[in-house]
Amino acid sequence: RENLRQQEINLGEPQLYLDYISIPITVKFDGSSQEVFRFIRRMEKMPRMIQMSNVIMVSNPTISSDVSAEVNMYASFRPDQEGGP
């Protein structure tokens, strides 16, 4: 697992489409660039469809080996899919 710090997760309003629901998610955290890429890789392997729309990484001025990252994504699923809301 990643050693991510200062984690913040924000869920947007679910959006209903013709045959699926999409939930916007913004995740912010600090960690090494390797940990950021491991996190993204883990999101790609989730059983739910995850679409990354934007990834921002900025050098962290307080810890030279770290970055501050913001990942914007959408989790999508069919309402009749097991594990859906």
Side-chain angles (χ1 to χ4, degrees):
R1 293 267 174 181
E2 302 81 33
N3 183 28
L4 304 175
R5 296 169 302 289
Q6 304 296 324
Q7 297 179 29
E8 180 183 326
I9 300 171
N10 295 304
L11 302 177
E13 200 63 37
Q15 300 168 4
L16 179 59
Y17 294 95
L18 186 61
D19 61 347
Y20 69 97
I21 295 173
S22 183
I23 301 173
I25 304 168
T26 299
V27 182
K28 297 178 183 180
F29 52 84
D30 293 344
S32 72
S33 57
Q34 289 177 333
E35 291 166 330
V36 172
F37 289 114
R38 275 196 293 261
F39 170 80
I40 291 170
R41 183 76 171 157
R42 196 161 45 91
M43 292 297 102
E44 291 176 337
K45 292 182 177 188
M46 289 188 71
R48 241 184 241 310
M49 185 176 89
I50 302 292
Q51 176 186 6
M52 305 268 175
S53 61
N54 195 19
V55 177
I56 300 169
M57 292 177 23
V58 179
S59 295
N60 187 333
T62 57
I63 303 174
S64 63
S65 63
D66 274 10
V67 295
S68 293
E70 178 176 321
V71 180
N72 297 296
M73 63 185 104
Y74 294 89
S76 300
F77 57 92
R78 290 182 24 184
D80 60 351
Q81 198 173 358
E82 189 175 322

